[in-house]
Amino acid sequence: KKTVSGTGAPDTDNFTFEVTGLDSIEQVEYPTNNRFTLQKDGSRVLTVIRGAQFTVKETGYPAGTYVRVSDDVDVRASKDNGQEEVEFKNHYVAPVTVQLSAQKTIINRSFKDGDAFTFAITGNDNAPASVTIQPTTGNGPENITFNAISFDLTNLGGDTEKVFTYTIEETGVQAEGVSKDTKTYVAKVTLTKD
């Protein structure tokens, strides 16, 4: 049986399993290539000879959103025609998104129609990739919102906490009498596994 805890786990995610030690399993509900797939709250019946021993191993689940809770299971079929139920548990962790923002100001003049400023945000140390955007123009300080950056468990690489560093730079200016800001700004995102 497959069970999933956590909020928001899709019902259609697939989990794959492998059965080893099948020499004593009858050809009833026999898994193809010793493998089968279950979805959330799904189950699979294997009919075996009494006393048969085999191992059921979870071999795959969607990367980045699940934590495996249970181990492989060694099964010995009951000698009394009973049923042995084994349960594989995973915990679903929804991906999170972060949206970094900045503000552009001009000293000694207002924004004019046609002014354009391009900014790049770059991830360091294997931080998820992001894009260069061009903000709208107008009067007063201009708010810049970068595209959302998505994180999942694969970004942690097995750690329980990791800091991702981003540099933000102005890469282009199309505005009469305005020079490019040459400073590089740093933003840090801390990802923590609960």
Side-chain angles (χ1 to χ4, degrees):
K1 180 178 180 181
K2 161 53 63 190
T3 59
V4 174
S5 61
T7 304
D11 292 333
T12 56
D13 281 349
N14 289 321
F15 302 83
T16 56
F17 298 86
E18 181 177 30
V19 180
T20 56
L22 290 174
D23 53 320
S24 60
I25 291 187
E26 298 173 355
Q27 300 297 315
V28 179
E29 292 285 337
Y30 194 82
T32 305
N33 296 323
N34 300 342
R35 290 179 169 79
F36 60 93
T37 301
L38 295 177
Q39 293 180 334
K40 178 179 166 184
D41 299 324
S43 62
R44 175 76 187 243
V45 174
L46 298 176
T47 302
V48 298
I49 297 170
R50 279 184 241 152
Q53 290 181 289
F54 56 96
T55 301
V56 181
K57 176 189 288 190
E58 185 171 29
T59 57
Y61 48 89
T65 53
Y66 289 92
V67 177
R68 189 171 158 188
V69 177
S70 55
D71 293 324
D72 301 339
V73 178
D74 291 319
V75 180
R76 181 175 185 92
S78 170
K79 294 181 179 178
D80 302 322
N81 286 336
Q83 292 185 353
E84 297 291 328
E85 183 175 290
V86 294
E87 184 176 22
F88 288 89
K89 300 177 184 179
N90 295 79
H91 182 72
Y92 177 78
V93 180
V96 295
T97 57
V98 173
Q99 195 157 26
L100 298 176
S101 60
Q103 194 174 68
K104 173 65 180 174
T105 57
I106 298 177
I107 300 172
N108 296 328
R109 92 158 172 83
S110 297
F111 287 93
K112 296 180 183 176
D113 285 342
D115 286 351
F117 304 88
T118 305
F119 301 86
I121 180 170
T122 307
N124 300 327
D125 302 320
N126 296 318
S130 53
V131 300
T132 299
I133 61 109
Q134 184 170 337
T136 59
T137 60
N139 294 321
E142 181 68 33
N143 293 320
I144 305 159
T145 303
F146 295 96
N147 290 351
I149 303 165
S150 183
F151 294 90
D152 63 31
L153 292 173
T154 59
N155 297 116
L156 284 173
D159 295 332
T160 56
E161 183 174 287
K162 194 169 185 179
V163 177
F164 297 92
T165 304
Y166 292 87
T167 56
I168 302 172
E169 299 176 274
E170 187 170 51
T171 58
V173 174
Q174 293 177 356
E176 184 182 333
V178 178
S179 59
K180 183 177 85 160
D181 185 346
T182 58
K183 292 180 185 173
T184 299
Y185 299 90
V186 175
K188 293 186 177 184
V189 176
T190 302
L191 185 63
T192 304
K193 178 180 169 184
D194 290 336

